[in-house]
C-alpha cells in the first residue's frame, strides 16, 4: 500500500511539474516581448540649452528630468555601493537569487504576510520598466521569468546602466547623474562616499529618504550603505570612519530653472518641426545667445519700463483726470540684439517679466512699424539716384479716397504740426518728417516702393501711401532681418538662435545664416551716416552712448500705440519695442525717442563695459566720396552723385521762394 502511494505521489509530482512547466512556458510566451522596452531602452532625457560660451541656460524635459550617463562614466564606488545595499550577489546570479528567495519566503511565512522581498537589481529593473509594483504572486513569477531572460541578452554592465539611469531618486530627479547635480551640484566623479551612499539609498523609498525633507532619515539610510560596505570589506576602516561622520551639504533645487526663458522658448519654436522630441530627446543645444548680453537686455527693458511707470505715476498724482491721463497696465516690451554680419542673436527678450507673461513678443507679437520703416524708404531713394543733399517738399497735401462708395480725406501732418516747405534729404530722415517722406514716396511711385520693400523681406506691405508712415504689421524678428541690410553693408542676413545641436548618440547638426545681397556697402553707408545724425541731433538723442558711433531710427505709430528704436553699432544691431499688449495708446509722451531709445542706450553702454574691444567707428567704403554743397560737406557715390552747380543755383532759388512751387 505504501508503495502505491509513493508511486502515486511520484506520478502526480511529474504531472504537476509538467503542468507547471507548460504553464510557465505559456506565460513566458505571453510576456516575452515585454522585455523589448528594457533591451531597446529609450528613456526620456532632459534637453540642455547652453549659451555661446557653454554656460547652461536651461534644462527642459517632458515628464521626467533625466540626464543620461554611460556605464563607463559611472564611478566604480557607485556600483559597489548599489550592489552592496541592494543585491550583493548581483555579479554571480542569473537574474534571480534562489538563496534570497528562500530567506524571504521563510520570513514571509513566519510573519503571515508579505514582509520582505527578494528582488535582484535585474528584477527591480523589470518591475519599473515593464511590470506593475503590485505584490501578487503572478507578478513575481513574470518578473523572475523576464529577469532570467534579460540576463541572457544584456550584460551585467548594461543592466546596471539602465537601472541607474531609469530609477527615480526623488525631488523630480530621474537617473543618478541628475540626482547628483540636483542634491549636491556635483558631477558623479566629484561625489564623496557619503554622498554616493545617500543616492543609492534613495530608490527604495525616494520620498521618505529625500534629504531635502528628511535629512536625518536619509543620513541613517546612507550609514546603512556604508556599514554594509565595511562588513563586506570593500572599504577601509579609515574610509568608514570618515564617511560615517560626514554630513554633506544638500541643495534644494529643481534643476529646471531657466535663466533665459524667452530665448530658449524661441529656440524650441525654431527646432520643434525638425526635432519633435526636442523637450525630452536628450539633446545638447548650443545657442548663439551671450548670457551676459541677455542679462543686460533684460535690465535695459526693465529700466525703461520702470521709468515709464514712474512717469505715469507722477502724472496721475498731479492730474485732474488720472484715468484718462495714464495709460493702461498692459505696458510691455521686447528686444532683439544680434551680430550684424552673421545674424547670430546675442540677446532676445520677449517681455518685461516671464513669470507674469510667457507670451514672446519678440516673435509672436505683430505690431505696426511706424516711422522706424523710413530708413528703407530713403535707402530705396538713394539707390534710385537721390543723394543726401536732394531737396524734398515738406508741404502738406490732402489725399482723397473712397471706402464703400463714401469719399474720404486724409491730411497727414508732421509731428508738431509744422512744415518747412523744402528740406534736404538728410534733414528729412534725421528729423523724421512725415510730409517730405510722403512726397518722396509719391515721386518714387507706390508700386516701386512696395516691390522694393518686399525685396527687403517685408511681407505685409500695403499698396497705398500709408506704407510711407509704416502702416505695415510685422514682428521684431522680421524687423531685425530687414535692418541687417543697413547694419551689414547692404547684405541681408537671417537672424538665427541655434548654433549647434547634438543628439544623445553624438550626431551633430550645425546651423548657419542665410544671406541675400540687397544693395551695396557704399549706398548703405550714406544711410548709416544719416542715421548717426538721428542719434546725435535728431529724434533719437536719448540713444546716444559716449565712446561709440551708433546709427538708428525712432518709430512711433498713430496715437502712440507702438514705440520703436531700431539701431546698430559697427558690429551689433538692436531692435527695441514698447507698447500695450491690448493695443491701446500709451501716453503721448511715450514715444520711440523717450521710452525705446533709452533702453537701446542702456544696452550699448553696459555691453561696452564688458566688451571694450568691439569696433567703435563705422568704416567708410573707398568709393564713398565727400563734396561741398551749399557750404556743407556731404557724402555721395557714383550712384548717388551730388547736384551740379546749376542744380544748386535752382535749389537755392527755390529755397528763397518755397511758395512759388506747384503740386
Amino acid at each position: 500500500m505504501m508503495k502505491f502511494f509513493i508511486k502515486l505521489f511520484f506520478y502526480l509530482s511529474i504531472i504537476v511539474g509538467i503542468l507547471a512547466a507548460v504553464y510557465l512556458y505559456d506565460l513566458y510566451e505571453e510576456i516575452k516581448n515585454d522585455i523589448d522596452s528594457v533591451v531597446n531602452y529609450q528613456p526620456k532625457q532632459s534637453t540642455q540649452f547652453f549659451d555661446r560660451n557653454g554656460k547652461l541656460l536651461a534644462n527642459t524635459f517632458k515628464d521626467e528630468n533625466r540626464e543620461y550617463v554611460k556605464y563607463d562614466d559611472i564611478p566604480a564606488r557607485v556600483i559597489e555601493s548599489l550592489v552592496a545595499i541592494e543585491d550583493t550577489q548581483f555579479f554571480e546570479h542569473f537574474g534571480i537569487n534562489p538563496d534570497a528567495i528562500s530567506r524571504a519566503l521563510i520570513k514571509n511565512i513566519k510573519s503571515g504576510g508579505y514582509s520582505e522581498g527578494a528582488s535582484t537589481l535585474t528584477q527591480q529593473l523589470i518591475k519599473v520598466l515593464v511590470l506593475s509594483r503590485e505584490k501578487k504572486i503572478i507578478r513575481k513569477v513574470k518578473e523572475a521569468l523576464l529577469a532570467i531572460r534579460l540576463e541572457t541578452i544584456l550584460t551585467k554592465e548594461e543592466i546596471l546602466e539602465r537601472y541607474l539611469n531609469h530609477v527615480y531618486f526623488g525631488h523630480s530627479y530621474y537617473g543618478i547623474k541628475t540626482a547628483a547635480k540636483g542634491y549636491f551640484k556635483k558631477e558623479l566623479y566629484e561625489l564623496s562616499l557619503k554622498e554616493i551612499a545617500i543616492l543609492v539609498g534613495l530608490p527604495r523609498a525616494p520620498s521618505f529618504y529625500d534629504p531635502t525633507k528628511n535629512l536625518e532619515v536619509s543620513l541613517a539610510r546612507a550609514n546603512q550603505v556604508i556599514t554594509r560596505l565595511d562588513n563586506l570589506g570593500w572599504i577601509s576602516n579609515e574610509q568608514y570612519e570618515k564617511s560615517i561622520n560626514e554630513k554633506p551639504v544638500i541643495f534644494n533645487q529643481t534643476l529646471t530653472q531657466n535663466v533665459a526663458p524667452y530665448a530658449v522658448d524661441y529656440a524650441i519654436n525654431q527646432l520643434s518641426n525638425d526635432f519633435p522630441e526636442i523637450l525630452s530627446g536628450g539633446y545638447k543645444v548650443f545657442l548663439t545667445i551671450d548670457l551676459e548680453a541677455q542679462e543686460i537686455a533684460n535690465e535695459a527693458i526693465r529700466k525703461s519700463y520702470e521709468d515709464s511707470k514712474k512717469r505715469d505715476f507722477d502724472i496721475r498724482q498731479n492730474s485732474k483726470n488720472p484715468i484718462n491721463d495714464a495709460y493702461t497696465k498692459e505696458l510691455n516690451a521686447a528686444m532683439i540684439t544680434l551680430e550684424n554680419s552673421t545674424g547670430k542673436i546675442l540677446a532676445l527678450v520677449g517681455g518685461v517679466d516671464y513669470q507674469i507673461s510667457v507670451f514672446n513678443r519678440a516673435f509672436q507679437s505683430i505690431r505696426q512699424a511706424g516711422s522706424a520703416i523710413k530708413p528703407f524708404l530713403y535707402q530705396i531713394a538713394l539707390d534710385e539716384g537721390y543723394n543726401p543733399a536732394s531737396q524734398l517738399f515738406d508741404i502738406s497735401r490732402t489725399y482723397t479716397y473712397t471706402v464703400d462708395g463714401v469719399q474720404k480725406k486724409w491730411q497727414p501732418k508732421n509731428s508738431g504740426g509744422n512744415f518747412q516747405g523744402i528740406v534736404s534729404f538728410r534733414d528729412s530722415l534725421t528729423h523724421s518728417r512725415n510730409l517730405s517722406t510722403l512726397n518722396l514716396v509719391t515721386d518714387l511711385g507706390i508700386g516701386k516702393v512696395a516691390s522694393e520693400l518686399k525685396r527687403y523681406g517685408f511681407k505685409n506691405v500695403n499698396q497705398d501711401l500709408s506704407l510711407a508712415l509704416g502702416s505695415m504689421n510685422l514682428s521684431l524678428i522680421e524687423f531685425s532681418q530687414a535692418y541687417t541690410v543697413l547694419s551689414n553693408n547692404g547684405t541681408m542676413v537671417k537672424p538665427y538662435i541655434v548654433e549647434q545641436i547634438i543628439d544623445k548618440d553624438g550626431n551633430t547638426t550645425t546651423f548657419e545664416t542665410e544671406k541675400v545681397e540687397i544693395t551695396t556697402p557704399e549706398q548703405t553707408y550714406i544711410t548709416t551716416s544719416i542715421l548717426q545724425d538721428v542719434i546725435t541731433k535728431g529724434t533719437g538723442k536719448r540713444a546716444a552712448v559716449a565712446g561709440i558711433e551708433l546709427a538708428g531710427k525712432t518709430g512711433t505709430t498713430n496715437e502712440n500705440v507702438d514705440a520703436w528704436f531700431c539701431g546698430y553699432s559697427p558690429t551689433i544691431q538692436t531692435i527695441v519695442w514698447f507698447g500695450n499688449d491690448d493695443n491701446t495708446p500709451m501716453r503721448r509722451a511715450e514715444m520711440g525717442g523717450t521710452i525705446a531709445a533709452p533702453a537701446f542706450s542702456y544696452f550699448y553702454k553696459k555691453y561696452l563695459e564688458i566688451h571694450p574691444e568691439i569696433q567703435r567707428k563705422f568704416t567708410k567704403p573707398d568709393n564713398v566720396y565727400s563734396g561741398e554743397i551749399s557750404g556743407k560737406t556731404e557724402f555721395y557715390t557714383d550712384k548717388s552723385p551730388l547736384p551740379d552747380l546749376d542744380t544748386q543755383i535752382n535749389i537755392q532759388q527755390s529755397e528763397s521762394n518755397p511758395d512759388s512751387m506747384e503740386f
Side-chain angles (χ1 to χ4, degrees), residues 387-421:
N387 66 79
S390 295
Q391 302 295 290
L392 304 181
F393 298 132
D394 189 42
I395 299 291
S396 179
R397 289 180 176 181
T398 299
Y399 300 89
T400 59
Y401 61 99
T402 303
V403 177
D404 296 329
V406 179
Q407 191 176 68
K408 296 188 176 184
K409 292 183 178 181
W410 178 43
Q411 192 170 24
K413 299 178 180 179
N414 287 324
S415 177
N418 63 344
F419 58 88
Q420 295 186 359

Side-chain angles (χ1 to χ4, degrees), residues 9 33-34 56 333 351 440 482 530:
F9 179 77
N33 291 331
D34 293 344
L56 182 65
L440 173 65
I530 299 174

Side-chain angles (χ1 to χ4, degrees), residues 522-584:
E522 57 268 23
Q523 292 300 107
T524 55
Y525 182 80
I526 294 178
T527 302
T528 294
S529 73
I530 299 174
L531 296 183
Q532 285 181 261
D533 285 352
V534 171
I535 291 177
T536 57
K537 57 185 177 183
T539 58
K541 291 179 181 178
R542 296 187 184 184
V545 175
I548 187 170
E549 292 184 347
L550 298 169
K553 182 69 183 72
T554 55
T556 308
T557 59
N558 286 341
E559 297 184 344
N560 297 61
V561 172
D562 302 281
W564 299 86
F565 194 85
C566 308
Y568 49 94
S569 74
T571 56
I572 298 172
Q573 171 189 297
T574 299
I575 307 293
V576 182
W577 167 85
F578 273 85
N580 288 320
D581 280 338
D582 58 3
N583 279 295
T584 55

Side-chain angles (χ1 to χ4, degrees), residues 512-525:
E512 295 181 354
T513 190
E514 301 171 18
K515 297 186 177 185
V516 180
E517 186 175 317
I518 302 298
T519 183
T520 61
E522 57 268 23
Q523 292 300 107
T524 55
Y525 182 80

Side-chain angles (χ1 to χ4, degrees), residues 162-328:
R162 284 159 173 75
Y163 178 90
L164 285 169
N165 278 289
H166 190 78
V167 294
Y168 181 55
F169 285 83
H171 217 70
S172 300
Y173 305 146
Y174 287 83
I176 195 164
K177 184 174 184 179
T178 311
K181 288 186 175 181
Y183 289 122
F184 306 114
K185 292 188 178 181
K186 291 181 179 181
E187 296 291 343
L188 285 174
Y189 68 87
E190 297 175 309
L191 296 175
S192 69
L193 178 56
K194 188 61 164 282
E195 291 166 339
I196 290 171
I198 289 174
L199 294 182
V200 300
L202 281 167
R204 176 172 290 188
S207 181
F208 182 69
Y209 292 124
D210 186 339
T212 66
K213 301 174 183 176
N214 305 305
L215 179 57
E216 294 305 319
V217 175
S218 180
L219 291 174
R221 171 67 171 161
N223 286 342
Q224 290 177 354
V225 176
I226 294 167
T227 300
R228 179 63 175 161
L229 286 167
D230 182 56
N231 292 339
L232 291 169
W234 292 1
I235 59 174
S236 66
N237 290 334
E238 182 181 352
Q239 290 172 316
Y240 171 79
E241 293 295 336
K242 178 182 178 182
S243 299
I244 283 290
N245 296 313
E246 181 186 347
K247 190 172 182 179
V249 176
I250 306 295
F251 294 91
N252 189 353
Q253 55 178 343
T254 65
L255 291 183
T256 60
Q257 294 174 348
N258 189 333
V259 297
Y262 286 116
V264 171
D265 282 358
Y266 179 60
I268 292 171
N269 172 270
Q270 296 297 291
L271 291 168
S272 57
N273 287 335
D274 294 331
F275 301 89
E277 299 297 322
I278 186 61
L279 293 180
S280 57
Y283 296 99
K284 292 189 184 298
V285 184
F286 294 88
L287 303 185
T288 60
I289 291 293
D290 181 329
L291 184 55
E292 289 184 317
Q294 180 73 20
E295 291 170 348
I296 293 172
N298 281 322
E299 293 170 8
I301 288 296
R302 171 58 66 175
K303 186 175 186 307
S304 270
Y305 172 84
E306 295 294 347
D307 288 347
S308 177
K309 285 292 190 179
K310 185 178 183 303
R311 289 193 293 270
D312 180 53
F313 176 80
D314 291 343
I315 287 176
R316 283 189 285 112
Q317 289 292 99
N318 299 305
S319 174
K320 295 180 180 179
N321 192 355
I323 295 178
N324 291 337
D325 285 346
Y327 55 95
T328 73

